[in-house]
Amino acid sequence: MKALLLLTFVGLAWGQWHPNAHDGRHTMVHLFEWRWVDIAAECERWLGPNGFAGVQVSPPNENIVINSPWRPWWERYQPISYNLCSRSGSDSEFRDMVHRCNNAGVRIYVDAIINHMCGDGGGSGTHATCGSYFDAGRREFSAVPYSSVDFNDGKCGTSSGQIENYNDKYQVRDCKLVGLLDLALEKDYVRGKIAGFLNNLIDIGVAGFRFDASKHMWPGDIQDIVGRLKNLNSQYFPSNSKAFIFQEVIDLGGEAISASEYFGIGRVTEFKFGAKLGEVVRKWNGQKMSYLHNWGEGWGFMPTGNALVFVDNHDNQRGHGAGGASILTFWDSRVYKIGTAFTLAHPYGFTRIMSSYRWDRNFVNGKDENDWIGPPANGDGSTKPVTINSDDTCGNGWVCEHRWRQIKNMVIFRNAVTGHDLTNWWDNGSNQIAFSRGNRGFIVINNDDWALDATLQTGLPAGTYCDVISGNLSGGRCTGAQISVGGDGRAFFQISNASEDPVVAIHVNAKL
Ligand code: AAO
């Protein structure tokens, strides 16, 4: 009986921290603002075959439509109801995507906006993606329904009704985040509505949730809602599987609320990861790659089993959220690829790759005035399809970082090495580093201003390996560089500092 109880507990506990991915898949990609029909196709033609674990999708539920005169990406963070229709597609398109992705071995994680509804200045009418009536001033959302008693207006202690001070945890949780109508999550009725929304998604077959703005919700309220969730759909998941939960909590230190308050519920976004990695790769503030030898908890990050990590996200790649100027993005592709290769080679955390669209940046006094621009769209505001070019890159303004060879191949590298310790750390005391993942993989990075020439212990079995940064293993040969590992595990590496990709990565699944 005791053993059974323990087992049940472990089973439950495992669930919320475990991505429910298929065996051997260890990275998700955020297909920011993609349409459901494009994601379904991408699961079948790219993500499944290349070993991606899953996709974080943009919020699928009804949101306010803001035409001023063009639609900002962030309108999707202003819910109007829990009906599934958005610029990404309809309810039936969402269901079809979940089904096809699951069948391709790729999980769907939903960005769930449960802290709030639309902004207080959202007006009234039916300007919403499914046409539901609402009145922001009167706090009425007819399609849920919510009314004024379901919001925190009476509870917030500031005269503006807004969060004014992040050092006051009551304000952060009970007041409006940038004017967004703050739901009273302690109410049984509100909890029930939110659980109903999430359970509908679970029934459709999603594997888990990103809880947006978790810092702005009391951990006890989130815990209660999570306690109301069904097991995952047994058509796709082992019975008794629990939804994977990752909570967006920005904790760079120095505020009233810390990420650790949320560890008991599920994983938490580790924002220090991208902020610090950006400083190191850009060599700002005296940082060096060699300092990465104790990356992870050694840098004051949360325990690896709690961390959801990423180089950049949809906010901080455009100056929203947090992280600051150090954040690496596709706009600086050389350093971005270096940072991403390190992230995917290193054992810390569960990794998420960003997949973006381009927009016309317009910096005025260091701030991008165009940080609001939505996805590539047609004249009527509908999102443009993701087209695929003959070289595997994307067209129509989509960046598709997850299709860059250097990134895609490191997703495959991570799958090959997960579960094997970081060993054979080497550095030159400056910005040249290397390490093994057991006897499965080895990476070398030269971020110095001079060449790297070194014979290093790889920990790998003897043989000839394809460098998966400069090419692929294809048809029994390497399309890029080859590395010979001797019987003693040692190999010679030469990396020019002038190289566009000053990285070499080899692993046992890309060996001749
Ligand atoms: C839009 C308009 C607003 C308007 C509002 C309502 O832009 O002007 O008032 O509609 O009409 C997104 C957009 C928002 C947008 C919103 C709704 O980013 O611009 O507002 O949709 O359409 C905080 C939250 C965090 C949040 C982040 C953006 O804690 O949860 O702000 N991220 C999520 C989503 C995001 C979304 C929402 C939440 C809302 O990922 O896309 O907003 O659903 C400090 C705090 C952080 C705080 C930041 C920014 O960070 O710690 O908690 O994030 O400030 O306010 C240093 C510090 C660092 C600090 C940082 C910035 O780095 O170390 O801690 O400086 O000050």
Side-chain angles (χ1 to χ4, degrees), residues 310-358:
F310 45 93
V311 175
D312 61 332
N313 79 350
H314 72 282
D315 283 328
N316 64 20
Q317 69 169 198
R318 46 175 54 69
H320 286 232
S326 75
I327 296 297
L328 304 169
T329 72
F330 71 87
W331 294 107
D332 298 316
S333 60
R334 186 174 185 272
V335 282
Y336 191 65
K337 287 180 283 182
I338 294 173
T340 304
F342 176 79
T343 297
L344 291 171
H346 194 279
Y348 182 78
F350 188 79
T351 42
R352 180 181 64 195
I353 299 296
M354 181 67 204
S355 189
S356 317
Y357 57 80
R358 273 180 213 88

Side-chain angles (χ1 to χ4, degrees), residues 463-466 473-474 476-478 482 508 510-512:
T464 303
Y465 293 80
C466 299
L473 167 62
S474 165
R477 61 176 205 95
C478 301
Q482 282 180 201
V508 290
K511 182 173 186 255
L512 293 188

